[in-house]
């Protein structure tokens, strides 16, 4: 349902259940009532709150709630395709204007504010083989390093 809401974004979640045929989503209306969806999203969490890192820890992962999903999707991308010898590493920006410490500002880019993602792609077919979100530790200034960016001939590892 959240994927569907991302494909067809509306100003408010409850608008997906609107009786107006131009706004409402019939599949979502048939799946569950809006009140049930709101209760589920209120109480169900996919991250273990007990494993939440302390906010004052200098090297804590700002994406600890999303890290299992990011790692799983990255592993699937890696396992599904073996890249050719022509690979490129580049950054991409996911537009975001909210308040998160990991948000980057790059003045000379088309997307000026957002989350920076490093990607290693096959240059021949533009397949994203590996990716990770750029995180700079704001307290120490250290940057997370990725061993897969530094590999040369062993590009498929």
């Amino acid at each position: 349902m959240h994927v569907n809401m991302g494909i067809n974004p509306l100003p408010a979640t409850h608008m997906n259940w609107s009786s107006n045929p131009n706004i409402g989503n019939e599949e979502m209306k048939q799946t569950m009532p809006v009140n049930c969806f709101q209760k589920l999203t209120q109480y169900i969490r996919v991250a273990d709150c007990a494993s939440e890192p302390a906010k004052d820890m200098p090297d804590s992962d700002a994406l600890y709630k999303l890290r299992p999903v990011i790692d799983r999707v990255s592993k699937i991308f890696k396992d599904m395709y073996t890249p050719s010898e022509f690979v490129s590493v580049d950054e991409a920006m996911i537009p975001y204007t909210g308040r998160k410490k990991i948000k980057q500002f790059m003045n000379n880019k088309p997307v000026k504010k957002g989350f920076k993602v490093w990607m290693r792609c096959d240059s021949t077919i533009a397949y994203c083989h590996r990716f990770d979100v750029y995180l700079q530790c704001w307290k120490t200034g250290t940057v997370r390093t990725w061993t897969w960016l530094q590999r040369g001939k062993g590009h498929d590892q």
Side-chain angles (χ1 to χ4, degrees):
M1 294 180 100
H2 281 285
V3 172
N4 198 350
M5 286 186 232
I7 293 170
N8 183 23
L10 294 172
T13 303
H14 70 275
M15 293 177 75
N16 288 288
W17 283 268
S18 172
S19 58
N20 184 337
N22 295 326
I23 298 174
N25 186 323
E26 287 300 319
E27 291 177 3
M28 292 178 71
K29 287 187 226 176
Q30 293 171 3
T31 303
M32 74 174 61
V34 65
N35 295 340
C36 182
F37 178 79
Q38 288 173 338
K39 284 293 181 191
L40 283 173
T41 56
Q42 179 180 357
Y43 293 114
I44 291 181
R45 298 288 179 250
V46 294
D48 182 13
C49 293
S51 66
E52 180 177 355
K55 295 190 182 207
D56 58 346
M57 298 247 331
D59 292 332
S60 62
D61 187 3
L63 295 174
Y64 79 95
K65 289 184 180 181
L66 292 175
R67 185 59 57 195
V69 175
I70 291 170
D71 291 344
R72 179 73 176 139
V73 170
S74 184
K75 182 179 180 337
I76 289 170
F77 282 8
K78 179 181 175 259
D79 293 344
M80 294 302 290
Y81 178 74
T82 302
S84 69
E85 61 183 337
F86 303 106
V87 294
S88 66
V89 175
D90 200 3
E91 62 189 18
M93 289 286 280
I94 299 172
Y96 180 76
T97 56
R99 294 187 204 168
K100 292 287 179 197
K101 288 185 178 180
I102 63 169
K103 181 178 69 173
Q104 300 292 314
F105 178 74
M106 300 173 76
N107 196 24
N108 297 329
K109 297 284 186 175
V111 177
K112 298 193 183 326
K113 295 179 184 176
F115 301 127
K116 186 193 295 189
V117 179
W118 284 100
M119 301 184 305
R120 182 172 70 179
C121 302
D122 187 325
S123 300
T124 56
I125 64 167
Y127 180 83
C128 178
H129 184 247
R130 297 287 297 270
F131 72 92
D132 205 354
V133 180
Y134 173 81
L135 297 175
Q136 178 180 7
C137 181
W138 296 99
K139 294 184 171 57
T140 63
T142 58
V143 177
R144 180 177 168 170
T145 59
W146 302 283
T147 56
W148 54 268
L149 286 177
Q150 300 162 355
R151 287 197 173 98
K153 191 84 170 150
H155 59 271
D156 58 339
Q157 297 176 4

